Amino acid sequence: MHVGFLGLGALGTPMAAHLVGRGPLTVWNRTGARAAEFAATPREAAAADVVITCFGTSADVASLLDGPDGLLAGLRRGALLIDCTSGDPTTSRRIAARLAARGVAFADAPVSGGTNGAEAGTLTVMVGADADTFARARPVLAAFGKRVDHVGPVGAGDALKAVNNALLAANILAVGEGMTALVKAGVAPRRALDVINASSGRSFVSETLVPERVLTGAWPRTFRLALLDKDVRIAADLMADTGVSGPVVELCSSLLGAARAELGEAADYLDPIRLTERQAGVEIRE
Ligand code: NDP
């Protein structure tokens, strides 16, 4: 099976690496230097049996469809486009409809597990597609996904991923605030986290992210705040579209939007904690 992979960002690069050696592979990236050894256009990378995209937003995917070198010019009837972007359901459904008119199947398949999970091939993949398309996508996604779940029709994967990341954002903001207050109150941060992690307030943020990245000061940049902000905005729109009152998600979206405006497009998703620390005049470090 010939696979095309487009989008060699922080996540796409280790994902594509798992496809090397499994069969013919064509890759493409907008900034050519990242894909220098592979000379391809989107059209050339799309001339495969299965085409995987991993861009920042669904709008980025849509912007590559048209034109003489675009995806639609390359995709063959009977091919499958799997979009691993953390996208938005509305745009994914629109893309799926355009592809269906040309006999090309589509699945939204955002992932969770970060750059570490992508490197280890242990991502969780949440797939929105019809049953036949999911059956075709699953073996390809298993190259980098430990858990590949069919969660509903096109758009369902995006919706689930957005809600997951809204929960992540709420945790980051709340743990950052709580831990900053505890430091100011004279509680040693490692001790505070050890107790929280043996209690009911624990989460992935308290158990893994803050101990490994904030307490140590290591703070690697693995996932841009701009992308988390985008995800939480999608979740807030989902609340509105489904008629569900979502003040918590809305507040997280507004806080992340303000942090992004202050810290810039290159900031890491844990950097909002720095803003809380700065305001309080303390740091959550060992
Ligand atoms: P990056 O910002 O590192 O990379 C984005 C990629 O998209 C780059 O290859 C970039 O190309 C390309 N791109 C962006 N806009 C366009 C465009 N208009 N046309 C063509 N190419 C474009 O993002 P990540 O790899 O971190 O994330 C990718 C997706 O995965 C996002 O939706 C993100 O939310 C999601 N995600 C990321 C995780 C992480 O830990 N990093 C975890 C889980 C999900 P170029 O190199 O030219 O800029």
Side-chain angles (χ1 to χ4, degrees):
M1 187 190 294
H2 180 187
V3 177
F5 196 105
L6 298 92
L8 298 175
L11 200 64
T13 300
M15 285 165 69
H18 287 286
L19 295 163
V20 172
R22 291 179 179 242
L25 176 68
T26 309
V27 306
W28 176 83
N29 193 62
R30 177 179 61 181
T31 304
R34 284 185 173 160
E37 62 269 42
F38 311 92
T41 61
R43 174 184 182 160
E44 285 162 349
D49 305 306
V50 176
V51 179
I52 302 173
T53 44
C54 187
F55 300 133
T57 66
S58 289
D60 297 332
V61 184
S63 75
L64 286 178
L65 289 178
D66 297 299
D69 277 331
L71 291 169
L72 286 176
L75 283 161
R76 300 190 194 114
R77 186 163 280 278
L80 164 62
L81 177 67
I82 305 174
D83 184 21
C84 290
T85 304
S86 298
D88 70 86
T90 306
T91 309
S92 283
R93 283 192 286 266
R94 204 175 301 139
I95 292 170
R98 290 196 67 190
L99 295 181
R102 292 168 172 256
V104 175
F106 177 86
D108 48 305
V111 305
S112 183
T115 50
N116 287 341
E119 276 156 27
T122 57
L123 294 169
T124 297
V125 192
M126 31 204 116
V127 186
D130 62 51
D132 287 350
T133 301
F134 175 70
R136 289 172 65 195
R138 182 180 208 144
V140 183
L141 293 169
F144 45 76
K146 184 174 171 190
R147 178 174 182 140
V148 182
D149 273 57
H150 187 203
V151 300
V154 169
D158 289 336
L160 178 48
K161 172 67 185 177
V163 170
N164 179 78
N165 277 23
L167 297 174
L168 171 66
N171 271 279
I172 290 169
L173 294 167
V175 173
E177 289 178 9
M179 286 299 297
T180 303
L182 287 171
V183 170
K184 283 215 100 166
V187 184
R190 171 66 69 179
R191 177 61 60 89
L193 277 175
D194 283 349
V195 173
I196 287 169
N197 289 335
S199 304
S200 48
R202 67 186 181 277
S203 65
F204 174 66
V205 176
S206 69
E207 290 183 323
T208 303
L209 291 181
V210 172
E212 291 180 0
R213 300 181 180 210
V214 178
L215 241 58
T216 58
W219 228 304
R221 290 178 175 211
T222 59
F223 177 39
R224 292 188 300 118
L225 170 62
L227 294 172
L228 182 62
D229 176 40
K230 170 262 304 179
D231 294 333
V232 182
R233 193 61 250 159
I234 294 169
D237 289 345
L238 179 72
M239 312 295 298
D241 291 348
T242 52
V244 176
S245 162
V248 175
V249 175
E250 197 55 57
L251 178 59
C252 287
S253 175
S254 122
L255 291 170
L256 288 189
R260 177 180 177 177
E262 182 163 350
L263 296 167
E265 293 300 292
D268 183 69
Y269 70 131
L270 294 182
D271 284 344
I273 295 177
R274 288 191 202 274
L275 293 181
T276 307
E277 291 179 336
R278 200 183 298 162
Q279 178 275 327
V282 293
E283 290 187 333
I284 310 165
R285 303 283 181 280
E286 295 191 283

